[in-house]
Short mmCIF file of all heavy atoms in Angstrom, two decimals:
data_model
loop_
_atom_site.label_atom_id
_atom_site.label_comp_id
_atom_site.label_asym_id
_atom_site.label_seq_id
_atom_site.Cartn_x
_atom_site.Cartn_y
_atom_site.Cartn_z
N LYS I 1 -11.47 -21.71 -27.50
CA LYS I 1 -11.85 -21.89 -28.89
C LYS I 1 -10.80 -22.65 -29.69
O LYS I 1 -9.95 -22.06 -30.39
CB LYS I 1 -12.16 -20.53 -29.54
CG LYS I 1 -13.12 -20.60 -30.72
CD LYS I 1 -13.52 -19.16 -31.14
CE LYS I 1 -14.57 -19.18 -32.23
NZ LYS I 1 -14.97 -17.85 -32.64
N ALA I 2 -10.86 -23.96 -29.62
CA ALA I 2 -9.94 -24.76 -30.44
C ALA I 2 -10.43 -24.80 -31.88
O ALA I 2 -11.63 -24.58 -32.16
CB ALA I 2 -9.91 -26.22 -29.87
N ASP I 3 -9.54 -25.06 -32.78
CA ASP I 3 -9.96 -25.33 -34.17
C ASP I 3 -10.57 -26.73 -34.20
O ASP I 3 -9.97 -27.70 -33.72
CB ASP I 3 -8.75 -25.27 -35.11
CG ASP I 3 -8.20 -23.88 -35.32
OD1 ASP I 3 -8.93 -22.92 -35.11
OD2 ASP I 3 -7.01 -23.74 -35.65
N VAL I 4 -11.75 -26.82 -34.79
CA VAL I 4 -12.51 -28.08 -34.79
C VAL I 4 -13.08 -28.32 -36.17
O VAL I 4 -13.46 -27.35 -36.89
CB VAL I 4 -13.63 -28.06 -33.72
CG1 VAL I 4 -14.58 -29.23 -33.89
CG2 VAL I 4 -13.07 -27.98 -32.32
N CYS I 5 -13.16 -29.54 -36.56
CA CYS I 5 -13.91 -29.88 -37.77
C CYS I 5 -14.72 -31.15 -37.52
O CYS I 5 -14.30 -31.99 -36.62
CB CYS I 5 -12.99 -30.09 -38.98
SG CYS I 5 -11.82 -31.46 -38.84
N VAL I 6 -15.82 -31.31 -38.21
CA VAL I 6 -16.60 -32.52 -38.11
C VAL I 6 -17.11 -32.90 -39.50
O VAL I 6 -17.31 -32.06 -40.39
CB VAL I 6 -17.83 -32.32 -37.17
CG1 VAL I 6 -17.39 -31.99 -35.77
CG2 VAL I 6 -18.77 -31.24 -37.70
N ALA I 7 -17.30 -34.19 -39.68
CA ALA I 7 -17.95 -34.75 -40.88
C ALA I 7 -19.23 -35.37 -40.45
O ALA I 7 -19.24 -36.27 -39.64
CB ALA I 7 -17.04 -35.73 -41.58
N VAL I 8 -20.36 -34.91 -41.03
CA VAL I 8 -21.66 -35.38 -40.61
C VAL I 8 -22.33 -36.10 -41.79
O VAL I 8 -22.52 -35.49 -42.85
CB VAL I 8 -22.56 -34.21 -40.11
CG1 VAL I 8 -23.95 -34.69 -39.75
CG2 VAL I 8 -21.89 -33.52 -38.93
N GLY I 9 -22.69 -37.32 -41.60
CA GLY I 9 -23.43 -38.07 -42.60
C GLY I 9 -24.92 -37.70 -42.53
O GLY I 9 -25.43 -37.46 -41.43
N TYR I 10 -25.59 -37.71 -43.65
CA TYR I 10 -27.01 -37.36 -43.68
C TYR I 10 -27.71 -37.99 -44.87
O TYR I 10 -27.05 -38.38 -45.88
CB TYR I 10 -27.24 -35.85 -43.66
CG TYR I 10 -26.73 -35.12 -44.87
CD1 TYR I 10 -27.63 -34.76 -45.89
CD2 TYR I 10 -25.36 -34.82 -45.06
CE1 TYR I 10 -27.20 -34.06 -47.04
CE2 TYR I 10 -24.92 -34.15 -46.18
CZ TYR I 10 -25.85 -33.76 -47.18
OH TYR I 10 -25.38 -33.12 -48.29
N LEU I 11 -29.01 -38.13 -44.72
CA LEU I 11 -29.84 -38.71 -45.80
C LEU I 11 -30.60 -37.59 -46.54
O LEU I 11 -31.15 -36.72 -45.89
CB LEU I 11 -30.86 -39.67 -45.17
CG LEU I 11 -31.84 -40.35 -46.13
CD1 LEU I 11 -31.15 -41.39 -46.96
CD2 LEU I 11 -33.00 -40.95 -45.34
N ILE I 12 -30.56 -37.66 -47.85
CA ILE I 12 -31.41 -36.82 -48.67
C ILE I 12 -32.58 -37.68 -49.06
O ILE I 12 -32.43 -38.72 -49.73
CB ILE I 12 -30.70 -36.29 -49.91
CG1 ILE I 12 -29.49 -35.43 -49.52
CG2 ILE I 12 -31.67 -35.45 -50.77
CD1 ILE I 12 -28.66 -34.98 -50.68
N GLY I 13 -33.80 -37.30 -48.59
CA GLY I 13 -34.98 -38.11 -48.90
C GLY I 13 -35.51 -37.81 -50.31
O GLY I 13 -35.07 -36.93 -51.01
N LYS I 14 -36.54 -38.56 -50.67
CA LYS I 14 -37.13 -38.43 -52.00
C LYS I 14 -37.66 -37.02 -52.21
O LYS I 14 -37.72 -36.55 -53.36
CB LYS I 14 -38.28 -39.46 -52.15
CG LYS I 14 -37.78 -40.88 -52.20
CD LYS I 14 -39.02 -41.81 -52.36
CE LYS I 14 -38.59 -43.27 -52.36
NZ LYS I 14 -39.71 -44.18 -52.53
N ASP I 15 -38.07 -36.35 -51.14
CA ASP I 15 -38.65 -34.98 -51.29
C ASP I 15 -37.56 -33.93 -51.17
O ASP I 15 -37.87 -32.71 -51.13
CB ASP I 15 -39.70 -34.74 -50.20
CG ASP I 15 -39.14 -34.92 -48.76
OD1 ASP I 15 -37.99 -35.23 -48.60
OD2 ASP I 15 -39.92 -34.71 -47.82
N GLY I 16 -36.28 -34.33 -51.04
CA GLY I 16 -35.19 -33.34 -51.04
C GLY I 16 -34.83 -32.83 -49.65
O GLY I 16 -33.92 -32.02 -49.53
N THR I 17 -35.55 -33.26 -48.60
CA THR I 17 -35.24 -32.83 -47.28
C THR I 17 -34.10 -33.71 -46.71
O THR I 17 -33.82 -34.78 -47.25
CB THR I 17 -36.45 -32.94 -46.32
OG1 THR I 17 -36.93 -34.27 -46.29
CG2 THR I 17 -37.57 -32.00 -46.80
N THR I 18 -33.49 -33.19 -45.64
CA THR I 18 -32.38 -33.91 -45.04
C THR I 18 -32.73 -34.43 -43.67
O THR I 18 -33.51 -33.81 -42.94
CB THR I 18 -31.15 -33.00 -44.94
OG1 THR I 18 -31.49 -31.82 -44.15
CG2 THR I 18 -30.65 -32.56 -46.29
N SER I 19 -32.16 -35.59 -43.30
CA SER I 19 -32.42 -36.19 -41.99
C SER I 19 -31.36 -37.22 -41.67
O SER I 19 -30.35 -37.34 -42.44
CB SER I 19 -33.80 -36.86 -41.99
OG SER I 19 -33.86 -37.93 -42.92
N GLU I 20 -31.55 -37.93 -40.59
CA GLU I 20 -30.66 -39.07 -40.19
C GLU I 20 -29.20 -38.57 -40.05
O GLU I 20 -28.28 -39.15 -40.63
CB GLU I 20 -30.75 -40.20 -41.22
CG GLU I 20 -32.09 -40.82 -41.33
CD GLU I 20 -32.58 -41.53 -40.06
OE1 GLU I 20 -31.72 -41.83 -39.21
OE2 GLU I 20 -33.79 -41.73 -39.93
N PHE I 21 -28.97 -37.53 -39.26
CA PHE I 21 -27.65 -36.93 -39.11
C PHE I 21 -26.84 -37.74 -38.10
O PHE I 21 -27.29 -38.10 -37.02
CB PHE I 21 -27.78 -35.50 -38.56
CG PHE I 21 -28.78 -34.67 -39.35
CD1 PHE I 21 -29.97 -34.30 -38.72
CD2 PHE I 21 -28.57 -34.34 -40.66
CE1 PHE I 21 -30.92 -33.54 -39.44
CE2 PHE I 21 -29.47 -33.55 -41.37
CZ PHE I 21 -30.65 -33.18 -40.74
N SER I 22 -25.58 -38.04 -38.48
CA SER I 22 -24.63 -38.73 -37.62
C SER I 22 -23.23 -38.15 -37.85
O SER I 22 -22.79 -38.05 -38.99
CB SER I 22 -24.60 -40.23 -37.87
OG SER I 22 -25.77 -40.89 -37.41
N MET I 23 -22.56 -37.80 -36.75
CA MET I 23 -21.18 -37.31 -36.90
C MET I 23 -20.27 -38.54 -37.10
O MET I 23 -20.16 -39.39 -36.22
CB MET I 23 -20.79 -36.57 -35.62
CG MET I 23 -19.45 -35.83 -35.75
SD MET I 23 -19.08 -34.70 -34.40
CE MET I 23 -18.81 -35.85 -33.09
N LEU I 24 -19.67 -38.62 -38.25
CA LEU I 24 -18.88 -39.79 -38.63
C LEU I 24 -17.40 -39.59 -38.34
O LEU I 24 -16.67 -40.59 -38.22
CB LEU I 24 -19.07 -40.08 -40.10
CG LEU I 24 -20.51 -40.31 -40.60
CD1 LEU I 24 -20.53 -40.53 -42.07
CD2 LEU I 24 -21.10 -41.50 -39.87
N LYS I 25 -16.95 -38.34 -38.20
CA LYS I 25 -15.51 -38.09 -37.99
C LYS I 25 -15.37 -36.71 -37.37
O LYS I 25 -16.18 -35.81 -37.65
CB LYS I 25 -14.79 -38.19 -39.30
CG LYS I 25 -13.28 -38.19 -39.25
CD LYS I 25 -12.63 -38.37 -40.63
CE LYS I 25 -11.13 -38.37 -40.60
NZ LYS I 25 -10.56 -38.54 -41.96
N SER I 26 -14.37 -36.53 -36.52
CA SER I 26 -14.16 -35.23 -35.91
C SER I 26 -12.71 -35.04 -35.52
O SER I 26 -11.96 -36.03 -35.39
CB SER I 26 -15.07 -35.07 -34.68
OG SER I 26 -14.82 -36.09 -33.76
N TRP I 27 -12.34 -33.81 -35.30
CA TRP I 27 -10.94 -33.50 -34.97
C TRP I 27 -10.89 -32.17 -34.22
O TRP I 27 -11.71 -31.26 -34.54
CB TRP I 27 -10.12 -33.43 -36.27
CG TRP I 27 -8.68 -33.02 -36.07
CD1 TRP I 27 -7.62 -33.87 -35.93
CD2 TRP I 27 -8.11 -31.71 -36.11
NE1 TRP I 27 -6.45 -33.19 -35.81
CE2 TRP I 27 -6.72 -31.88 -35.90
CE3 TRP I 27 -8.64 -30.44 -36.21
CZ2 TRP I 27 -5.88 -30.74 -35.86
CZ3 TRP I 27 -7.79 -29.36 -36.17
CH2 TRP I 27 -6.44 -29.50 -36.00
N ALA I 28 -10.00 -32.08 -33.26
CA ALA I 28 -9.80 -30.77 -32.53
C ALA I 28 -8.32 -30.55 -32.48
O ALA I 28 -7.49 -31.48 -32.43
CB ALA I 28 -10.39 -30.90 -31.13
N SER I 29 -7.93 -29.25 -32.45
CA SER I 29 -6.52 -28.86 -32.55
C SER I 29 -5.75 -29.03 -31.25
O SER I 29 -4.51 -28.99 -31.26
CB SER I 29 -6.41 -27.42 -33.05
OG SER I 29 -7.06 -26.54 -32.13
N THR I 30 -6.44 -29.14 -30.12
CA THR I 30 -5.77 -29.24 -28.84
C THR I 30 -6.12 -30.51 -28.10
O THR I 30 -7.27 -30.96 -28.23
CB THR I 30 -6.06 -28.00 -27.95
OG1 THR I 30 -7.46 -27.98 -27.68
CG2 THR I 30 -5.64 -26.73 -28.58
N LYS I 31 -5.23 -31.02 -27.32
CA LYS I 31 -5.50 -32.24 -26.61
C LYS I 31 -6.54 -32.05 -25.53
O LYS I 31 -7.28 -32.97 -25.20
CB LYS I 31 -4.21 -32.77 -25.97
CG LYS I 31 -3.21 -33.29 -27.00
CD LYS I 31 -1.97 -33.86 -26.28
CE LYS I 31 -0.95 -34.38 -27.33
NZ LYS I 31 0.24 -34.89 -26.66
N SER I 32 -6.63 -30.88 -24.98
CA SER I 32 -7.58 -30.59 -23.92
C SER I 32 -9.04 -30.52 -24.44
O SER I 32 -9.97 -30.70 -23.73
CB SER I 32 -7.28 -29.32 -23.18
OG SER I 32 -7.27 -28.21 -24.06
N ALA I 33 -9.14 -30.23 -25.74
CA ALA I 33 -10.45 -30.12 -26.35
C ALA I 33 -10.97 -31.53 -26.66
O ALA I 33 -10.19 -32.47 -26.85
CB ALA I 33 -10.40 -29.28 -27.61
N GLY I 34 -12.27 -31.62 -26.71
CA GLY I 34 -12.85 -32.89 -27.13
C GLY I 34 -13.02 -33.93 -26.05
O GLY I 34 -13.21 -35.07 -26.35
N ASP I 35 -12.87 -33.52 -24.76
CA ASP I 35 -13.03 -34.46 -23.69
C ASP I 35 -14.50 -34.52 -23.31
O ASP I 35 -15.08 -33.57 -22.83
CB ASP I 35 -12.17 -34.06 -22.48
CG ASP I 35 -10.70 -34.22 -22.76
OD1 ASP I 35 -10.34 -35.12 -23.53
OD2 ASP I 35 -9.86 -33.51 -22.20
N GLY I 36 -15.10 -35.66 -23.48
CA GLY I 36 -16.49 -35.85 -23.02
C GLY I 36 -17.51 -35.75 -24.13
O GLY I 36 -17.34 -35.05 -25.13
N ASP I 37 -18.59 -36.43 -23.95
CA ASP I 37 -19.66 -36.48 -24.93
C ASP I 37 -20.35 -35.11 -25.11
O ASP I 37 -20.78 -34.76 -26.21
CB ASP I 37 -20.74 -37.46 -24.49
CG ASP I 37 -20.27 -38.93 -24.62
OD1 ASP I 37 -19.23 -39.15 -25.29
OD2 ASP I 37 -20.92 -39.82 -24.05
N ALA I 38 -20.42 -34.34 -24.04
CA ALA I 38 -21.09 -33.03 -24.13
C ALA I 38 -20.36 -32.11 -25.11
O ALA I 38 -20.99 -31.33 -25.84
CB ALA I 38 -21.18 -32.36 -22.74
N TYR I 39 -19.02 -32.20 -25.12
CA TYR I 39 -18.27 -31.35 -26.04
C TYR I 39 -18.62 -31.66 -27.49
O TYR I 39 -19.04 -30.75 -28.24
CB TYR I 39 -16.78 -31.56 -25.80
CG TYR I 39 -15.86 -30.66 -26.63
CD1 TYR I 39 -15.52 -29.40 -26.19
CD2 TYR I 39 -15.35 -31.10 -27.85
CE1 TYR I 39 -14.72 -28.57 -26.96
CE2 TYR I 39 -14.54 -30.27 -28.63
CZ TYR I 39 -14.24 -29.04 -28.14
OH TYR I 39 -13.43 -28.23 -28.93
N TRP I 40 -18.49 -32.92 -27.88
CA TRP I 40 -18.73 -33.24 -29.29
C TRP I 40 -20.23 -33.19 -29.63
O TRP I 40 -20.61 -32.92 -30.76
CB TRP I 40 -18.18 -34.64 -29.62
CG TRP I 40 -16.65 -34.58 -29.66
CD1 TRP I 40 -15.76 -35.16 -28.84
CD2 TRP I 40 -15.88 -33.84 -30.60
NE1 TRP I 40 -14.50 -34.86 -29.21
CE2 TRP I 40 -14.51 -34.09 -30.32
CE3 TRP I 40 -16.16 -33.05 -31.72
CZ2 TRP I 40 -13.48 -33.51 -31.04
CZ3 TRP I 40 -15.12 -32.46 -32.46
CH2 TRP I 40 -13.79 -32.74 -32.10
#
């Protein structure tokens, strides 16, 4: 359990719902964490 943070971009539509999620930035506290697409 590394300390992790992510910033996720998203769209608020005209009806107030959210969609179009994309992780724009991320960080993990240990070098061993974050290896591979499956992790993030």
Side-chain angles (χ1 to χ4, degrees):
K1 206 171 185 181
D3 290 336
V4 171
C5 63
V6 298
V8 178
Y10 65 101
L11 178 73
I12 300 175
K14 294 179 180 181
D15 60 358
T17 59
T18 57
S19 64
E20 300 295 341
F21 312 110
S22 288
M23 189 170 69
L24 303 178
K25 190 176 180 181
S26 57
W27 179 91
S29 61
T30 61
K31 291 183 179 179
S32 60
D35 290 331
D37 290 346
Y39 183 86
W40 287 113

